[in-house]
Every structure is written in C-alpha cells, then in structure tokens.
C-alpha cells in the first residue's frame, strides 16, 4: 500500500534553503510525499515538488481577517492538502476542536484534503486516559457528514520536537482505536512526533499506520531521503 509522507516545515526555511534542499532531494518516490512549507514559500516549493500542502487555513471563506489565509487561497497556491489543528496551533493560537472542524469543512468545500491532527498531552497520557481523550478530540474535530476524503494525524503532543516517540505498542493501540472510531473505512491515519531516520521504518511498518508527519527531520535532506527510502520498503 502507498505510504504518505508529510514534511511539516513549520516556520522554517528561506529562499536559499529551498534551492539547496531540492538540489539534494528529488521527490520521485512511488509514495505520496507532501511538502508543507510556510505559506509564503508554497509556490517556490511547488516548482520542485508536485504535492504540496498548507499548514493551516481560516475557518471563514473570506472577509476582514487580517493575516489569515482562506482555504481557496491555499488551493490557488497549488496545494492539494492542508494541515488542520496541529497541536502548535491548538496550543499557541487557542484553536478549539470546533474551530478545527470548521477549518476542515472549509478545506473540503474548496477541494483540499485536510490532514486533521489530534493527540494527547503528557499529563493525559500519564493519567491513562489517552485513548478516551483522543477519540473525543477526533469526534469533535471531524467535518460533519461528508463522504470526501480527509486524513488523520495522531501526534502525541509530548512527542513533538522532543526526541521522544510513543512506543510501538501505544501507536498500534491508538491507531486501532482511531480506525474503529472513524466513520469511513480506509481513511489514512498518519503518526507524527519525533519521526526520524532511525525510527521511520519501524513506525511505517506498524498496522494501521498509513504514513508519517515529519517535522524536524524533514528539514534535513539526508534524513528525509532516508525516511522516504524506508517508506518504500514498508510499502509491502
Ligand atoms: P517533529 O514534528 O517531527 O519535529 O516532532 C512533527 C510535527 O509537529 O508535525
């Protein structure tokens, strides 16, 4: 099965960085490699990579929302995808699951595939209520009554950018619970949180892991090349 590899560059990169990166990385994998650079660089990256995604979009279609980017604008920049509800947006921009759902609905309306992020904090993991919490967050964040495709990314908040990853057992358990809770069979479920060249192959080989959302390691072309190569081995 095709694996989905998403590079979330967050607020990193520059014009020269993009040129250097794509001198050393050519996205000709059989897998789905989706680059999500900062919105001002979407068109620069689109020049090198056929599949790109935004990192966010507005819950509104247009209007007086200074600094925001609508779903249709993300689409016009060449995107097929958009990350929605990343924990950094939930945390630093106080986005609720209700807002996340509205954003996902805007994305679907204009023909983008939203990649909806969910995940528990360390406190919730330690309290033993991670599955309960994530399933509740999932049900509140999902677009209402649609048969259009969206992706889910399970990203434990405590694993993002920390070098800590969930255990294989915890990933399998959570992905299975998410799979059972999703209304549509075959919805891709990605794992994210400190995915790197050393753990990518093992994670991509787990049941119900259809891909990975990679932050830090997607900014290093050597590491990202390795992750893409592993994704091909994990396809069988
Ligand atoms: P990380 O980020 O790989 O640097 O942990 C993942 C993400 O936030 O999507």
């Amino acid at each position: 099965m095709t694996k989905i590899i998403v590079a979330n560059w967050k607020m990193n990169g520059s014009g020269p960085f993009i040129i250097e990166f794509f001198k050393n990385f050519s996205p000709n994998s059989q897998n789905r490699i989706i680059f999500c650079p900062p919105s001002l660089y979407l068109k620069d990256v689109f020049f090198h990579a056929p599949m790109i995604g935004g990192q966010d979009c507005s819950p509104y279609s247009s209007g007086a929302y200074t600094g925001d980017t609508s779903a249709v604008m993300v689409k016009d920049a060449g995107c097929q995808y958009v990350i929605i509800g990343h924990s950094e947006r939930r945390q630093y921009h106080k986005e609720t699951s209700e807002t996340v759902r509205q954003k996902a609905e805007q994305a679907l309306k204009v023909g983008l595939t939203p990649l909806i992020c969910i995940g528990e904090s360390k406190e919730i993991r330690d309290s033993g209520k991670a599955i309960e919490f994530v399933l509740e967050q999932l049900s509140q964040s999902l677009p209402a009554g649609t048969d259009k495709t969206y992706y889910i990314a399970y990203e434990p908040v405590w694993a993002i950018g920390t070098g800590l990853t969930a255990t294989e057992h915890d990933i399998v358990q959570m992905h299975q619970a998410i799979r059972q809770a999703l209304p549509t069979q075959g919805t891709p479920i990605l794992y994210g949180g400190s995915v790197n060249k050393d753990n990518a192959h093992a994670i991509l080989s787990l049941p119900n892991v259809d891909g990975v959302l990679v932050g830090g390691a997607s900014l290093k072309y050597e590491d990202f090349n390795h992750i893409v190569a592993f994704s091909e081995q994990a396809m069988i």
Side-chain angles (χ1 to χ4, degrees):
M1 195 192 145
T2 308
K3 297 283 179 182
I4 302 156
I5 315 294
V6 182
N8 177 12
W9 281 2
K10 309 190 182 187
M11 200 175 73
N12 294 295
S14 65
F17 171 87
I18 292 167
I19 291 168
E20 184 62 17
F21 187 96
F22 286 104
K23 244 194 244 167
N24 296 285
F25 180 88
S26 53
N28 55 3
S29 158
Q30 299 171 52
N31 283 326
R32 197 173 285 258
I33 317 292
I34 304 164
F35 280 91
C36 301
S39 56
L40 288 175
Y41 294 123
L42 281 168
K43 288 197 171 175
D44 302 81
V45 171
F46 192 39
F47 183 74
H48 302 277
M51 279 184 234
I52 58 168
Q55 295 179 8
D56 181 41
C57 73
S58 170
Y60 309 110
S61 55
S62 66
Y65 302 104
T66 303
D68 284 356
T69 308
S70 72
V72 82
M73 293 168 189
V74 174
K75 179 112 195 291
D76 280 349
C79 293
Q80 291 159 267
Y81 302 90
V82 60
I83 299 172
I84 303 280
H86 189 282
S87 68
E88 285 150 16
R89 296 215 54 93
R90 290 182 187 260
Q91 189 183 346
Y92 305 137
H93 298 267
K94 308 278 174 281
E95 286 187 11
T96 63
S97 291
E98 166 70 10
T99 310
V100 172
R101 182 178 62 70
Q102 289 169 348
K103 290 182 173 201
E105 287 171 359
Q106 282 292 331
L108 288 173
K109 205 154 94 183
V110 305
L112 289 168
T113 300
L115 171 53
I116 302 165
C117 302
I118 49 177
E120 82 285 357
S121 65
K122 183 85 177 76
E123 295 72 52
I124 293 169
R125 169 61 59 183
D126 291 345
S127 74
K129 297 209 165 99
I131 294 187
E132 203 178 312
F133 174 87
V134 168
L135 293 187
E136 177 66 15
Q137 202 181 38
L138 175 73
S139 77
Q140 290 173 4
S141 305
L142 284 186
T146 180
D147 55 3
K148 294 186 181 153
T149 303
Y150 50 81
Y151 296 176
I152 301 297
Y154 167 57
E155 297 203 296
V157 178
W158 49 270
I160 296 176
T162 57
L164 304 169
T165 35
T167 64
E168 291 184 12
H169 172 266
D170 288 347
I171 298 174
V172 170
Q173 206 182 31
M174 185 64 83
H175 279 231
Q176 191 182 357
I178 294 170
R179 170 78 65 225
Q180 282 163 356
L182 283 168
T184 314
Q185 262 194 350
T187 298
I189 309 171
L190 282 62
Y191 172 80
S194 296
V195 173
N196 58 41
K197 63 179 171 42
D198 299 320
N199 60 23
H201 185 236
I203 292 172
L204 282 163
S205 307
L206 297 173
N208 287 314
V209 175
D210 302 303
V212 282
L213 177 51
V214 189
S218 72
L219 290 160
K220 300 179 206 133
Y221 55 78
E222 294 100 336
D223 293 18
F224 200 56
N225 265 319
H226 279 295
I227 293 171
V228 169
F230 290 144
S231 73
E232 264 151 36
Q233 291 166 25
M235 255 177 24
I236 306 105

PDB file of all heavy atoms in Angstrom, residues 35-63:
ATOM      1  N   PHE A  35       4.912  18.168   0.714  1.00  0.00           N
ATOM      2  CA  PHE A  35       5.680  19.212   1.402  1.00  0.00           C
ATOM      3  C   PHE A  35       4.746  20.310   1.883  1.00  0.00           C
ATOM      4  O   PHE A  35       3.950  20.837   1.107  1.00  0.00           O
ATOM      5  CB  PHE A  35       6.726  19.808   0.465  1.00  0.00           C
ATOM      6  CG  PHE A  35       7.946  18.953   0.347  1.00  0.00           C
ATOM      7  CD1 PHE A  35       8.039  17.991  -0.644  1.00  0.00           C
ATOM      8  CD2 PHE A  35       8.995  19.073   1.253  1.00  0.00           C
ATOM      9  CE1 PHE A  35       9.154  17.173  -0.743  1.00  0.00           C
ATOM     10  CE2 PHE A  35      10.112  18.257   1.165  1.00  0.00           C
ATOM     11  CZ  PHE A  35      10.196  17.307   0.172  1.00  0.00           C
ATOM     12  N   CYS A  36       4.872  20.650   3.165  1.00  0.00           N
ATOM     13  CA  CYS A  36       4.079  21.733   3.744  1.00  0.00           C
ATOM     14  C   CYS A  36       5.017  22.823   4.264  1.00  0.00           C
ATOM     15  O   CYS A  36       5.377  22.834   5.452  1.00  0.00           O
ATOM     16  CB  CYS A  36       3.200  21.203   4.875  1.00  0.00           C
ATOM     17  SG  CYS A  36       2.064  19.918   4.347  1.00  0.00           S
ATOM     18  N   PRO A  37       5.435  23.713   3.390  1.00  0.00           N
ATOM     19  CA  PRO A  37       6.312  24.811   3.811  1.00  0.00           C
ATOM     20  C   PRO A  37       5.454  25.968   4.342  1.00  0.00           C
ATOM     21  O   PRO A  37       4.225  25.932   4.209  1.00  0.00           O
ATOM     22  CB  PRO A  37       6.996  25.211   2.499  1.00  0.00           C
ATOM     23  CG  PRO A  37       5.977  24.924   1.449  1.00  0.00           C
ATOM     24  CD  PRO A  37       5.145  23.745   1.941  1.00  0.00           C
ATOM     25  N   PRO A  38       6.078  27.008   4.891  1.00  0.00           N
ATOM     26  CA  PRO A  38       5.312  28.197   5.268  1.00  0.00           C
ATOM     27  C   PRO A  38       4.576  28.732   4.034  1.00  0.00           C
ATOM     28  O   PRO A  38       5.064  28.600   2.909  1.00  0.00           O
ATOM     29  CB  PRO A  38       6.389  29.186   5.721  1.00  0.00           C
ATOM     30  CG  PRO A  38       7.548  28.334   6.120  1.00  0.00           C
ATOM     31  CD  PRO A  38       7.510  27.147   5.215  1.00  0.00           C
ATOM     32  N   SER A  39       3.404  29.343   4.233  1.00  0.00           N
ATOM     33  CA  SER A  39       2.545  29.668   3.086  1.00  0.00           C
ATOM     34  C   SER A  39       3.230  30.580   2.056  1.00  0.00           C
ATOM     35  O   SER A  39       2.986  30.445   0.862  1.00  0.00           O
ATOM     36  CB  SER A  39       1.223  30.270   3.554  1.00  0.00           C
ATOM     37  OG  SER A  39       1.472  31.384   4.346  1.00  0.00           O
ATOM     38  N   LEU A  40       4.110  31.474   2.518  1.00  0.00           N
ATOM     39  CA  LEU A  40       4.752  32.374   1.555  1.00  0.00           C
ATOM     40  C   LEU A  40       5.718  31.648   0.624  1.00  0.00           C
ATOM     41  O   LEU A  40       6.108  32.188  -0.407  1.00  0.00           O
ATOM     42  CB  LEU A  40       5.482  33.514   2.283  1.00  0.00           C
ATOM     43  CG  LEU A  40       4.546  34.546   2.910  1.00  0.00           C
ATOM     44  CD1 LEU A  40       5.331  35.560   3.721  1.00  0.00           C
ATOM     45  CD2 LEU A  40       3.725  35.264   1.829  1.00  0.00           C
ATOM     46  N   TYR A  41       6.083  30.413   0.958  1.00  0.00           N
ATOM     47  CA  TYR A  41       7.008  29.641   0.105  1.00  0.00           C
ATOM     48  C   TYR A  41       6.306  28.525  -0.666  1.00  0.00           C
ATOM     49  O   TYR A  41       6.979  27.726  -1.324  1.00  0.00           O
ATOM     50  CB  TYR A  41       8.129  29.037   0.956  1.00  0.00           C
ATOM     51  CG  TYR A  41       9.047  30.063   1.572  1.00  0.00           C
ATOM     52  CD1 TYR A  41       9.231  30.116   2.946  1.00  0.00           C
ATOM     53  CD2 TYR A  41       9.730  30.983   0.780  1.00  0.00           C
ATOM     54  CE1 TYR A  41      10.067  31.061   3.525  1.00  0.00           C
ATOM     55  CE2 TYR A  41      10.562  31.930   1.348  1.00  0.00           C
ATOM     56  CZ  TYR A  41      10.726  31.965   2.720  1.00  0.00           C
ATOM     57  OH  TYR A  41      11.544  32.906   3.276  1.00  0.00           O
ATOM     58  N   LEU A  42       4.981  28.463  -0.567  1.00  0.00           N
ATOM     59  CA  LEU A  42       4.278  27.356  -1.231  1.00  0.00           C
ATOM     60  C   LEU A  42       4.613  27.296  -2.722  1.00  0.00           C
ATOM     61  O   LEU A  42       4.925  26.232  -3.262  1.00  0.00           O
ATOM     62  CB  LEU A  42       2.765  27.501  -1.043  1.00  0.00           C
ATOM     63  CG  LEU A  42       2.223  27.061   0.323  1.00  0.00           C
ATOM     64  CD1 LEU A  42       0.796  27.516   0.513  1.00  0.00           C
ATOM     65  CD2 LEU A  42       2.334  25.546   0.493  1.00  0.00           C
ATOM     66  N   LYS A  43       4.557  28.443  -3.375  1.00  0.00           N
ATOM     67  CA  LYS A  43       4.787  28.431  -4.826  1.00  0.00           C
ATOM     68  C   LYS A  43       6.234  28.071  -5.155  1.00  0.00           C
ATOM     69  O   LYS A  43       6.483  27.405  -6.159  1.00  0.00           O
ATOM     70  CB  LYS A  43       4.383  29.771  -5.436  1.00  0.00           C
ATOM     71  CG  LYS A  43       2.863  29.926  -5.438  1.00  0.00           C
ATOM     72  CD  LYS A  43       2.372  30.992  -6.369  1.00  0.00           C
ATOM     73  CE  LYS A  43       0.853  30.900  -6.460  1.00  0.00           C
ATOM     74  NZ  LYS A  43       0.236  31.938  -7.234  1.00  0.00           N
ATOM     75  N   ASP A  44       7.176  28.497  -4.328  1.00  0.00           N
ATOM     76  CA  ASP A  44       8.594  28.139  -4.573  1.00  0.00           C
ATOM     77  C   ASP A  44       8.780  26.631  -4.468  1.00  0.00           C
ATOM     78  O   ASP A  44       9.501  26.020  -5.254  1.00  0.00           O
ATOM     79  CB  ASP A  44       9.509  28.819  -3.543  1.00  0.00           C
ATOM     80  CG  ASP A  44       9.367  30.318  -3.550  1.00  0.00           C
ATOM     81  OD1 ASP A  44       8.403  30.812  -2.927  1.00  0.00           O
ATOM     82  OD2 ASP A  44      10.165  30.990  -4.188  1.00  0.00           O
ATOM     83  N   VAL A  45       8.129  26.022  -3.483  1.00  0.00           N
ATOM     84  CA  VAL A  45       8.282  24.576  -3.295  1.00  0.00           C
ATOM     85  C   VAL A  45       7.518  23.817  -4.382  1.00  0.00           C
ATOM     86  O   VAL A  45       7.979  22.782  -4.873  1.00  0.00           O
ATOM     87  CB  VAL A  45       7.836  24.160  -1.865  1.00  0.00           C
ATOM     88  CG1 VAL A  45       7.777  22.653  -1.714  1.00  0.00           C
ATOM     89  CG2 VAL A  45       8.802  24.751  -0.837  1.00  0.00           C
ATOM     90  N   PHE A  46       6.396  24.350  -4.797  1.00  0.00           N
ATOM     91  CA  PHE A  46       5.588  23.716  -5.851  1.00  0.00           C
ATOM     92  C   PHE A  46       6.395  23.578  -7.147  1.00  0.00           C
ATOM     93  O   PHE A  46       6.200  22.648  -7.927  1.00  0.00           O
ATOM     94  CB  PHE A  46       4.334  24.562  -6.086  1.00  0.00           C
ATOM     95  CG  PHE A  46       3.292  23.879  -6.934  1.00  0.00           C
ATOM     96  CD1 PHE A  46       3.035  22.519  -6.802  1.00  0.00           C
ATOM     97  CD2 PHE A  46       2.531  24.601  -7.836  1.00  0.00           C
ATOM     98  CE1 PHE A  46       2.057  21.892  -7.571  1.00  0.00           C
ATOM     99  CE2 PHE A  46       1.548  23.989  -8.608  1.00  0.00           C
ATOM    100  CZ  PHE A  46       1.316  22.635  -8.479  1.00  0.00           C
ATOM    101  N   PHE A  47       7.330  24.474  -7.342  1.00  0.00           N
ATOM    102  CA  PHE A  47       8.209  24.424  -8.512  1.00  0.00           C
ATOM    103  C   PHE A  47       9.044  23.134  -8.507  1.00  0.00           C
ATOM    104  O   PHE A  47       9.388  22.606  -9.553  1.00  0.00           O
ATOM    105  CB  PHE A  47       9.112  25.670  -8.464  1.00  0.00           C
ATOM    106  CG  PHE A  47      10.024  25.807  -9.640  1.00  0.00           C
ATOM    107  CD1 PHE A  47       9.537  26.205 -10.874  1.00  0.00           C
ATOM    108  CD2 PHE A  47      11.385  25.526  -9.515  1.00  0.00           C
ATOM    109  CE1 PHE A  47      10.382  26.314 -11.975  1.00  0.00           C
ATOM    110  CE2 PHE A  47      12.234  25.633 -10.605  1.00  0.00           C
ATOM    111  CZ  PHE A  47      11.730  26.028 -11.842  1.00  0.00           C
ATOM    112  N   HIS A  48       9.358  22.625  -7.316  1.00  0.00           N
ATOM    113  CA  HIS A  48      10.223  21.447  -7.189  1.00  0.00           C
ATOM    114  C   HIS A  48       9.459  20.163  -6.854  1.00  0.00           C
ATOM    115  O   HIS A  48       9.950  19.071  -7.097  1.00  0.00           O
ATOM    116  CB  HIS A  48      11.243  21.655  -6.053  1.00  0.00           C
ATOM    117  CG  HIS A  48      12.108  22.855  -6.245  1.00  0.00           C
ATOM    118  ND1 HIS A  48      13.228  22.834  -7.038  1.00  0.00           N
ATOM    119  CD2 HIS A  48      12.027  24.107  -5.739  1.00  0.00           C
ATOM    120  CE1 HIS A  48      13.810  24.019  -7.009  1.00  0.00           C
ATOM    121  NE2 HIS A  48      13.093  24.810  -6.224  1.00  0.00           N
ATOM    122  N   ALA A  49       8.314  20.298  -6.199  1.00  0.00           N
ATOM    123  CA  ALA A  49       7.609  19.118  -5.675  1.00  0.00           C
ATOM    124  C   ALA A  49       6.154  19.159  -6.138  1.00  0.00           C
ATOM    125  O   ALA A  49       5.489  20.182  -5.979  1.00  0.00           O
ATOM    126  CB  ALA A  49       7.672  19.129  -4.147  1.00  0.00           C
ATOM    127  N   PRO A  50       5.660  18.057  -6.682  1.00  0.00           N
ATOM    128  CA  PRO A  50       4.303  18.092  -7.234  1.00  0.00           C
ATOM    129  C   PRO A  50       3.202  18.138  -6.188  1.00  0.00           C
ATOM    130  O   PRO A  50       2.092  18.584  -6.471  1.00  0.00           O
ATOM    131  CB  PRO A  50       4.215  16.795  -8.039  1.00  0.00           C
ATOM    132  CG  PRO A  50       5.248  15.894  -7.456  1.00  0.00           C
ATOM    133  CD  PRO A  50       6.329  16.763  -6.910  1.00  0.00           C
ATOM    134  N   MET A  51       3.510  17.670  -4.967  1.00  0.00           N
ATOM    135  CA  MET A  51       2.439  17.649  -3.961  1.00  0.00           C
ATOM    136  C   MET A  51       2.784  18.551  -2.792  1.00  0.00           C
ATOM    137  O   MET A  51       3.778  18.312  -2.101  1.00  0.00           O
ATOM    138  CB  MET A  51       2.217  16.230  -3.461  1.00  0.00           C
ATOM    139  CG  MET A  51       1.357  15.423  -4.403  1.00  0.00           C
ATOM    140  SD  MET A  51       1.043  13.831  -3.713  1.00  0.00           S
ATOM    141  CE  MET A  51       1.586  12.846  -5.064  1.00  0.00           C
ATOM    142  N   ILE A  52       1.954  19.564  -2.615  1.00  0.00           N
ATOM    143  CA  ILE A  52       2.221  20.492  -1.519  1.00  0.00           C
ATOM    144  C   ILE A  52       0.956  20.700  -0.686  1.00  0.00           C
ATOM    145  O   ILE A  52      -0.161  20.467  -1.153  1.00  0.00           O
ATOM    146  CB  ILE A  52       2.771  21.855  -2.009  1.00  0.00           C
ATOM    147  CG1 ILE A  52       1.807  22.528  -2.992  1.00  0.00           C
ATOM    148  CG2 ILE A  52       4.153  21.700  -2.623  1.00  0.00           C
ATOM    149  CD1 ILE A  52       2.180  23.991  -3.274  1.00  0.00           C
ATOM    150  N   GLY A  53       1.168  21.134   0.545  1.00  0.00           N
ATOM    151  CA  GLY A  53       0.037  21.386   1.442  1.00  0.00           C
ATOM    152  C   GLY A  53       0.305  22.627   2.277  1.00  0.00           C
ATOM    153  O   GLY A  53       1.458  22.967   2.562  1.00  0.00           O
ATOM    154  N   GLY A  54      -0.782  23.303   2.669  1.00  0.00           N
ATOM    155  CA  GLY A  54      -0.661  24.423   3.591  1.00  0.00           C
ATOM    156  C   GLY A  54      -0.528  23.897   5.013  1.00  0.00           C
ATOM    157  O   GLY A  54      -0.765  22.713   5.277  1.00  0.00           O
ATOM    158  N   GLN A  55      -0.160  24.782   5.925  1.00  0.00           N
ATOM    159  CA  GLN A  55      -0.031  24.383   7.333  1.00  0.00           C
ATOM    160  C   GLN A  55      -1.265  24.772   8.141  1.00  0.00           C
ATOM    161  O   GLN A  55      -1.370  24.447   9.319  1.00  0.00           O
ATOM    162  CB  GLN A  55       1.201  25.027   7.952  1.00  0.00           C
ATOM    163  CG  GLN A  55       2.507  24.558   7.357  1.00  0.00           C
ATOM    164  CD  GLN A  55       3.716  25.238   7.989  1.00  0.00           C
ATOM    165  OE1 GLN A  55       3.603  25.960   8.978  1.00  0.00           O
ATOM    166  NE2 GLN A  55       4.877  25.004   7.416  1.00  0.00           N
ATOM    167  N   ASP A  56      -2.174  25.496   7.489  1.00  0.00           N
ATOM    168  CA  ASP A  56      -3.369  25.981   8.181  1.00  0.00           C
ATOM    169  C   ASP A  56      -4.271  26.663   7.153  1.00  0.00           C
ATOM    170  O   ASP A  56      -3.804  27.019   6.068  1.00  0.00           O
ATOM    171  CB  ASP A  56      -2.960  27.010   9.258  1.00  0.00           C
ATOM    172  CG  ASP A  56      -4.140  27.543  10.054  1.00  0.00           C
ATOM    173  OD1 ASP A  56      -5.019  26.744  10.402  1.00  0.00           O
ATOM    174  OD2 ASP A  56      -4.175  28.766  10.313  1.00  0.00           O
ATOM    175  N   CYS A  57      -5.528  26.854   7.486  1.00  0.00           N
ATOM    176  CA  CYS A  57      -6.391  27.757   6.711  1.00  0.00           C
ATOM    177  C   CYS A  57      -7.433  28.331   7.654  1.00  0.00           C
ATOM    178  O   CYS A  57      -7.625  27.839   8.768  1.00  0.00           O
ATOM    179  CB  CYS A  57      -7.033  27.044   5.514  1.00  0.00           C
ATOM    180  SG  CYS A  57      -8.337  25.882   5.948  1.00  0.00           S
ATOM    181  N   SER A  58      -8.087  29.381   7.193  1.00  0.00           N
ATOM    182  CA  SER A  58      -9.083  30.061   8.019  1.00  0.00           C
ATOM    183  C   SER A  58     -10.371  29.232   8.113  1.00  0.00           C
ATOM    184  O   SER A  58     -10.702  28.501   7.180  1.00  0.00           O
ATOM    185  CB  SER A  58      -9.399  31.422   7.391  1.00  0.00           C
ATOM    186  OG  SER A  58     -10.500  32.013   8.019  1.00  0.00           O
ATOM    187  N   PRO A  59     -11.129  29.394   9.208  1.00  0.00           N
ATOM    188  CA  PRO A  59     -12.443  28.744   9.249  1.00  0.00           C
ATOM    189  C   PRO A  59     -13.487  29.513   8.428  1.00  0.00           C
ATOM    190  O   PRO A  59     -14.615  29.066   8.276  1.00  0.00           O
ATOM    191  CB  PRO A  59     -12.803  28.766  10.742  1.00  0.00           C
ATOM    192  CG  PRO A  59     -12.002  29.869  11.331  1.00  0.00           C
ATOM    193  CD  PRO A  59     -10.767  30.022  10.490  1.00  0.00           C
ATOM    194  N   TYR A  60     -13.084  30.699   7.905  1.00  0.00           N
ATOM    195  CA  TYR A  60     -14.022  31.525   7.129  1.00  0.00           C
ATOM    196  C   TYR A  60     -13.598  31.540   5.665  1.00  0.00           C
ATOM    197  O   TYR A  60     -12.422  31.374   5.345  1.00  0.00           O
ATOM    198  CB  TYR A  60     -14.042  32.961   7.667  1.00  0.00           C
ATOM    199  CG  TYR A  60     -14.244  32.989   9.154  1.00  0.00           C
ATOM    200  CD1 TYR A  60     -13.210  33.366  10.007  1.00  0.00           C
ATOM    201  CD2 TYR A  60     -15.464  32.594   9.707  1.00  0.00           C
ATOM    202  CE1 TYR A  60     -13.391  33.344  11.380  1.00  0.00           C
ATOM    203  CE2 TYR A  60     -15.641  32.582  11.085  1.00  0.00           C
ATOM    204  CZ  TYR A  60     -14.601  32.957  11.912  1.00  0.00           C
ATOM    205  OH  TYR A  60     -14.778  32.928  13.258  1.00  0.00           O
ATOM    206  N   SER A  61     -14.554  31.808   4.781  1.00  0.00           N
ATOM    207  CA  SER A  61     -14.217  31.745   3.354  1.00  0.00           C
ATOM    208  C   SER A  61     -13.533  33.018   2.862  1.00  0.00           C
ATOM    209  O   SER A  61     -12.703  32.966   1.952  1.00  0.00           O
ATOM    210  CB  SER A  61     -15.448  31.430   2.520  1.00  0.00           C
ATOM    211  OG  SER A  61     -16.448  32.372   2.797  1.00  0.00           O
ATOM    212  N   SER A  62     -13.878  34.189   3.427  1.00  0.00           N
ATOM    213  CA  SER A  62     -13.208  35.448   3.065  1.00  0.00           C
ATOM    214  C   SER A  62     -13.649  36.504   4.065  1.00  0.00           C
ATOM    215  O   SER A  62     -14.519  36.242   4.901  1.00  0.00           O
ATOM    216  CB  SER A  62     -13.602  35.883   1.645  1.00  0.00           C
ATOM    217  OG  SER A  62     -14.975  36.202   1.620  1.00  0.00           O
ATOM    218  N   GLY A  63     -13.058  37.676   3.983  1.00  0.00           N
ATOM    219  CA  GLY A  63     -13.526  38.765   4.840  1.00  0.00           C
ATOM    220  C   GLY A  63     -12.420  39.460   5.595  1.00  0.00           C
ATOM    221  O   GLY A  63     -11.243  39.319   5.276  1.00  0.00           O
TER     222      GLY A  63
END
